[in-house]
Amino acid sequence: MAKEIKTIGVLTSGGDAPGMNAAIRAVVRSAIAKGLNVKGIRRGFQGLIDEEIIDMDKRSVSETINRGGTVLYTARCMEFMTEEGQKKAADNCKKHGIDGIVVIGGDGSFRGARDLSKWGINTIGVPGTIDLDIACTDYTIGFDTAVNTAMEAIDKIRDTSTSHERCSIVEVMGRNAGYIALWCAIANGAENVLLPERYDGNEQAIIDDIINSRKKGKKHHIIINAEGIGHSTSMARRIEAATGIETRATIIGHIQRGGNPTCKDRVYASSMGVLAVNLLCEGKSNRIVAYKNAEFVDFDIDEALAMKKDIDEYKLNVSLLLSR
Ligand code: F6P
């Protein structure tokens, strides 16, 4: 028989993402509307181990839907990777009467949710990462805001790049994932995009592209470089030396992780938060909320973690075709 849920916890874990607050608010308010108690766990799984557990009511999440970051703070926790850490966290859940937890974060956070569920605590994951790199879902909280922040920054770089007839390398976030880079490549009309999933290190091909596009009369040349490729500044120096064209590198950085969430991030995060609570109330555990084929659905965490996501070939071709 499914365990009766009376009290739920909510935590954010891993890198923050704009819209996490909207998800927390949805969890808190929809749970209270169902007559549940809600506990906020500060600083992710570390906070669960350290008993940073607070009572939340409807007013705890007032004035948060429009704010970036996470009001519960976040952390990456090594201790939770050990059995001792997991046991301590599960014991603290029992001590505080927490029957189920909503974990908002990325892949690493879902591994944490899976581990916690093995200790008898029901868990539901909500995808929150600017990287859009979770295979089971077409949407992750924060991507829309982050990619719009990056796009606006690159528009500005393009203005000055054109005025000076320069080449510009713009580094966007994504250590292992090139989605922000690829979307910006299309949205900003970049001439080249370097993705961690694809880049073969062939800098000569980029240099040839720059020389050819200059011959065709292009005034600027934008290269979008995902963080995982790195070395943007030294790459700029090498490109300038090889082409004779002034080249500058800009690393946009953590500005992409903050800021007021877009409408899409607020609406989707709210919808996912409500679904997570519904799933807990149905007695479900070890599941991830996802947005797939225009519907909010859920997947088994182990199955979701085993899924592979590759770069969208069609979008990559669109980007290459339209920037030539
Ligand atoms: O949240 C994902 C992400 O922004 C990645 O794109 C990036 O590589 C990483 O987090 C950086 O995290 P931090 O600088 O906070 O350690």
Side-chain angles (χ1 to χ4, degrees), residues 32-52:
I32 290 171
K34 285 177 177 291
L36 305 179
N37 301 312
V38 185
K39 308 267 184 189
I41 297 138
R42 286 191 169 141
R43 299 180 180 83
F45 291 105
Q46 190 63 55
L48 200 52
I49 292 171
D50 298 338
E51 259 188 282
E52 290 201 68

Side-chain angles (χ1 to χ4, degrees), residues 14-17 76 128-131 133 172-177 180 227-228 254 257:
D16 63 350
R76 294 186 168 101
T129 165
I130 64 164
D131 285 348
D133 60 347
V172 298
M173 273 189 141
R175 195 173 293 150
N176 304 308
I180 295 180
E227 179 191 351
H254 285 80
R257 284 249 295 267

Side-chain angles (χ1 to χ4, degrees), residues 145-197:
T145 308
V147 81
N148 275 288
T149 300
M151 182 191 74
E152 284 170 20
I154 298 166
D155 279 345
K156 290 174 183 157
I157 292 166
R158 186 190 178 118
D159 290 343
T160 170
S161 194
T162 306
S163 306
H164 288 263
E165 299 175 70
R166 278 176 177 154
C167 171
S168 294
I169 301 179
V170 190
E171 187 173 311
V172 298
M173 273 189 141
R175 195 173 293 150
N176 304 308
Y179 297 97
I180 295 180
L182 179 58
W183 281 56
C184 285
I186 298 174
N188 295 103
E191 279 70 25
N192 294 94
V193 57
L194 312 185
L195 310 172
E197 297 90 342

Side-chain angles (χ1 to χ4, degrees), residues 83-143:
E83 289 233 328
E84 291 80 7
Q86 290 162 20
K87 181 172 183 315
K88 222 171 176 186
D91 286 347
N92 283 338
C93 286
K94 285 167 196 154
K95 182 170 162 190
H96 289 264
I98 297 172
D99 308 300
I101 293 199
V102 178
V103 173
I104 306 165
D107 270 357
S109 311
F110 297 150
R111 277 189 282 277
R114 175 199 56 197
D115 293 341
L116 191 59
S117 72
K118 291 185 182 147
W119 293 86
I121 309 300
N122 287 8
T123 57
I124 303 291
V126 172
T129 165
I130 64 164
D131 285 348
L132 193 67
D133 60 347
I134 296 171
C136 70
T137 181
D138 299 332
Y139 165 83
T140 61
I141 295 170
F143 174 75

